[in-house]
Amino acid sequence: YYLGLNMYDFQIKYKDQTEDIDVAKSPSFNVGLIGNLRLTEYLDLRLEPGVVFSNRTLTFPNFENERDQVREVNSSYVHIPLLLKFSAKRINNFKPFVVGGASVSHSRSSNEDNPQDNYDGQFRPKTQNYYYEIGFGIDFYFDYFKFTPSIRGVFGMSDELKRDNDINSPWTSNIESLKTRGLFINFTFQ
């Protein structure tokens, strides 16, 4: 299993460059299980299903009223990465590695199907999202278990924003794409 910390952010591309939307991020946690299939001496295929919690606050420019300016994005995801782990040769009791692959997440707190939009105070990210992931870490071998700290970057591959019903919405009309990016620090016990 693994326990970890994460810091999710949004990468926002604009149609016309104006004032940026401020994204305030908060550290959150994640937990999950690991399935490992050794393919060769230095290559493993890993499935790491888990639950990820994240908190982000979007502050939109050009609004004076805080009710219109601030949108909270509190999310809980079922996150399922499929990864390849490339390990170096074990030296004494440690073995460095790099990892990369793809993942899918399903948001349990998405507002995608909500008919209300930003005019009613509802920011609506999509429910299903796809990512690619890259990272590195070190396996430490102890007498009864293996401990692995690792750092991983998670990068969204598709637009995650459900647009407002009004195509001229001051919240979503200037956004070309909104993609998640994040940093995971995981501590694995095997």
Side-chain angles (χ1 to χ4, degrees):
Y1 66 93
Y2 65 87
L3 301 170
L5 301 172
N6 68 70
M7 184 81 72
Y8 268 28
D9 189 6
F10 282 124
Q11 177 186 23
I12 303 172
K13 258 191 198 170
Y14 301 96
K15 293 177 183 172
D16 299 315
Q17 189 59 45
T18 59
E19 283 189 69
D20 288 345
I21 298 168
D22 181 50
V23 182
K25 44 204 175 287
S26 303
S28 299
F29 73 96
N30 47 294
V31 61
L33 301 172
I34 296 175
N36 193 72
L37 175 65
R38 175 160 284 185
L39 301 175
T40 68
E41 185 178 356
Y42 302 109
L43 181 64
D44 295 295
L45 180 65
R46 296 174 72 103
L47 183 65
E48 298 183 0
V51 179
V52 177
F53 301 95
S54 97
N55 301 310
R56 293 165 277 191
T57 303
L58 301 174
T59 305
F60 290 86
N62 304 323
F63 287 102
E64 293 182 18
N65 183 342
E66 186 175 339
R67 179 189 176 284
D68 293 332
Q69 185 179 36
V70 176
R71 295 291 181 263
E72 295 283 333
V73 184
N74 298 316
S75 304
S76 56
Y77 298 101
V78 175
H79 186 75
I80 305 172
L82 183 63
L83 307 165
L84 284 173
K85 178 182 174 185
F86 302 94
S87 301
K89 186 173 180 174
R90 182 174 168 175
I91 302 168
N92 295 326
N93 286 329
F94 69 92
K95 180 168 57 169
F97 66 87
V98 295
V99 66
S103 60
V104 61
S105 70
H106 181 81
S107 176
R108 303 297 300 155
S109 53
S110 171
N111 288 325
E112 182 177 10
D113 296 330
N114 189 340
Q116 297 178 327
D117 59 16
N118 279 297
Y119 287 98
D120 301 306
Q122 295 295 316
F123 185 79
R124 302 181 301 175
K126 292 183 179 172
T127 304
Q128 197 87 2
N129 298 305
Y130 301 93
Y131 311 95
Y132 66 91
E133 302 188 16
I134 55 172
F136 63 93
I138 299 175
D139 291 329
F140 291 98
Y141 293 86
F142 295 95
D143 290 337
Y144 299 105
F145 68 95
K146 179 170 62 169
F147 172 68
T148 306
S150 65
I151 297 175
R152 189 178 313 159
V154 177
F155 306 93
M157 293 191 282
S158 60
D159 186 15
E160 299 175 24
L161 179 63
K162 170 89 183 250
R163 304 292 188 283
D164 289 340
N165 300 326
D166 178 5
I167 60 170
N168 296 316
S169 164
W171 292 277
T172 62
S173 64
N174 193 36
I175 298 175
E176 185 176 319
S177 70
L178 180 125
K179 299 177 182 178
T180 292
R181 58 185 176 187
L183 178 68
F184 282 37
I185 300 174
N186 287 340
F187 302 98
T188 303
F189 301 89
Q190 294 177 316

